Coordinates of all heavy atoms in Angstrom, one line a residue:
G159 N 5.3 -18.5 -7.1 CA 4.2 -19.0 -6.4 C 2.8 -18.7 -7.0 O 1.7 -19.3 -6.9
A160 N 2.7 -17.5 -7.7 CA 1.4 -16.9 -8.2 C 1.0 -17.8 -9.5 O 1.8 -18.3 -10.3 CB 1.6 -15.5 -8.6
D161 N -0.3 -18.0 -9.6 CA -0.8 -18.5 -10.7 C -0.8 -17.8 -11.9 O -0.7 -18.2 -13.1 CB -2.3 -19.1 -10.5 CG -2.2 -20.1 -9.3 OD1 -1.7 -21.2 -9.5 OD2 -2.7 -19.8 -8.3
K162 N -1.0 -16.4 -11.7 CA -1.0 -15.5 -12.8 C -0.4 -14.2 -12.4 O -0.5 -13.8 -11.1 CB -2.5 -15.1 -13.2 CG -2.7 -14.2 -14.4 CD -4.1 -13.8 -14.6 CE -4.7 -14.9 -15.6 NZ -6.0 -14.5 -16.1
K163 N 0.5 -13.5 -13.2 CA 1.2 -12.4 -12.7 C 0.7 -11.3 -13.8 O 0.7 -11.4 -15.0 CB 2.7 -12.6 -13.0 CG 3.3 -13.7 -12.1 CD 4.7 -13.9 -12.6 CE 5.3 -15.2 -11.9 NZ 6.6 -15.5 -12.3
I164 N 0.3 -10.1 -13.1 CA -0.2 -9.1 -13.9 C 0.5 -7.7 -13.5 O 0.5 -7.3 -12.4 CB -1.8 -8.9 -13.6 CG1 -2.5 -10.2 -14.0 CG2 -2.4 -7.7 -14.4 CD1 -3.8 -10.3 -13.5
V165 N 1.0 -7.2 -14.6 CA 1.7 -5.7 -14.3 C 0.5 -4.7 -14.5 O -0.1 -4.7 -15.6 CB 2.8 -5.5 -15.3 CG1 3.3 -4.1 -15.1 CG2 3.9 -6.7 -15.2
A166 N 0.3 -3.9 -13.5 CA -0.7 -3.0 -13.6 C -0.5 -1.8 -12.6 O 0.0 -2.0 -11.6 CB -2.1 -3.5 -13.4
D167 N -0.9 -0.5 -13.0 CA -1.1 0.5 -12.1 C -2.4 0.4 -11.6 O -3.5 0.8 -12.2 CB -0.9 1.9 -12.7 CG -1.0 3.1 -11.8 OD1 -1.6 2.9 -10.7 OD2 -0.6 4.2 -12.2
V168 N -2.7 0.0 -10.4 CA -4.0 -0.3 -9.7 C -4.9 0.8 -9.5 O -6.0 0.8 -9.3 CB -3.9 -1.3 -8.5 CG1 -3.4 -2.6 -9.0 CG2 -3.1 -0.6 -7.5
T169 N -4.2 2.0 -9.5 CA -4.9 3.3 -9.4 C -5.7 3.7 -10.6 O -6.6 4.5 -10.6 CB -4.1 4.4 -8.9 OG1 -3.2 4.8 -9.9 CG2 -3.4 4.2 -7.5
K170 N -5.2 3.0 -11.8 CA -5.9 3.4 -13.1 C -6.8 2.2 -13.4 O -7.9 2.5 -14.0 CB -4.8 3.6 -14.2 CG -4.0 4.8 -14.0 CD -2.9 5.0 -15.0 CE -2.1 6.2 -14.6 NZ -0.9 6.4 -15.4
E171 N -6.4 1.0 -13.4 CA -7.3 -0.2 -13.5 C -6.7 -1.4 -13.0 O -5.5 -1.4 -12.8 CB -7.6 -0.4 -14.9 CG -6.4 -0.8 -15.8 CD -6.8 -1.4 -17.2 OE1 -7.9 -1.8 -17.4 OE2 -5.8 -1.5 -18.0
I172 N -7.5 -2.4 -12.7 CA -7.0 -3.7 -12.5 C -7.6 -4.5 -13.6 O -8.7 -4.7 -13.8 CB -7.7 -4.3 -11.1 CG1 -7.2 -3.3 -9.9 CG2 -7.3 -5.7 -10.9 CD1 -7.7 -3.7 -8.6
P173 N -6.7 -5.0 -14.4 CA -7.0 -5.5 -15.7 C -7.6 -7.0 -15.6 O -7.0 -8.0 -16.0 CB -5.8 -5.6 -16.5 CG -4.7 -5.5 -15.6 CD -5.2 -4.8 -14.3
L174 N -8.8 -7.1 -14.9 CA -9.5 -8.2 -14.8 C -11.0 -8.0 -15.1 O -11.4 -6.9 -14.8 CB -9.3 -9.0 -13.4 CG -7.9 -9.3 -12.9 CD1 -7.9 -9.7 -11.4 CD2 -7.6 -10.6 -13.8
P175 N -11.7 -9.0 -15.5 CA -13.1 -8.7 -15.7 C -14.0 -8.4 -14.4 O -13.4 -8.8 -13.4 CB -13.6 -10.1 -16.2 CG -12.4 -10.9 -16.6 CD -11.3 -10.3 -15.8
D176 N -15.0 -7.7 -14.6 CA -15.8 -7.2 -13.4 C -16.2 -8.5 -12.7 O -16.5 -9.5 -13.4 CB -16.9 -6.4 -13.9 CG -16.6 -5.0 -14.3 OD1 -15.5 -4.7 -14.1 OD2 -17.5 -4.3 -14.7
E177 N -16.3 -8.4 -11.4 CA -16.8 -9.6 -10.6 C -16.2 -10.9 -10.9 O -16.7 -11.9 -10.9 CB -18.3 -9.7 -10.7 CG -19.0 -8.5 -10.2 CD -20.6 -8.7 -9.8 OE1 -21.0 -9.9 -9.6 OE2 -21.3 -7.7 -9.8
S178 N -14.9 -10.8 -11.0 CA -14.1 -12.0 -11.3 C -13.2 -12.6 -10.2 O -12.6 -13.6 -10.4 CB -13.3 -11.8 -12.6 OG -12.2 -10.8 -12.3
V179 N -13.2 -11.9 -9.1 CA -12.3 -12.2 -8.0 C -13.0 -12.3 -6.7 O -13.9 -11.6 -6.5 CB -11.1 -11.1 -7.8 CG1 -10.4 -11.2 -6.6 CG2 -10.3 -11.0 -9.1
D180 N -12.7 -13.3 -5.9 CA -13.3 -13.6 -4.6 C -12.8 -12.8 -3.4 O -13.5 -12.4 -2.6 CB -13.3 -15.0 -4.2 CG -13.9 -15.9 -5.3 OD1 -15.2 -15.8 -5.4 OD2 -13.3 -16.7 -5.9
M181 N -11.5 -12.5 -3.5 CA -10.8 -11.7 -2.5 C -9.7 -10.8 -3.0 O -8.9 -11.4 -3.9 CB -10.3 -12.8 -1.4 CG -9.7 -12.0 -0.2 SD -9.4 -13.0 1.2 CE -8.9 -14.6 0.7
V182 N -9.7 -9.6 -2.6 CA -8.5 -8.7 -3.0 C -7.9 -8.6 -1.6 O -8.4 -8.1 -0.7 CB -9.0 -7.4 -3.5 CG1 -7.9 -6.4 -3.7 CG2 -9.8 -7.6 -4.8
I183 N -6.5 -8.8 -1.7 CA -5.7 -8.5 -0.5 C -4.5 -7.5 -1.0 O -4.1 -7.5 -2.1 CB -5.1 -9.7 0.1 CG1 -4.1 -10.4 -0.9 CG2 -6.2 -10.8 0.6 CD1 -3.3 -11.6 -0.3

Side-chain angles (χ1 to χ4, degrees):
D161 296 294
K162 187 182 272 191
K163 302 173 193 177
I164 301 168
V165 177
D167 178 347
V168 294
T169 62
K170 294 182 180 167
E171 74 167 334
I172 298 176
L174 294 169
D176 287 353
E177 296 196 22
S178 62
V179 172
D180 297 294
M181 183 166 33
V182 174
I183 64 172

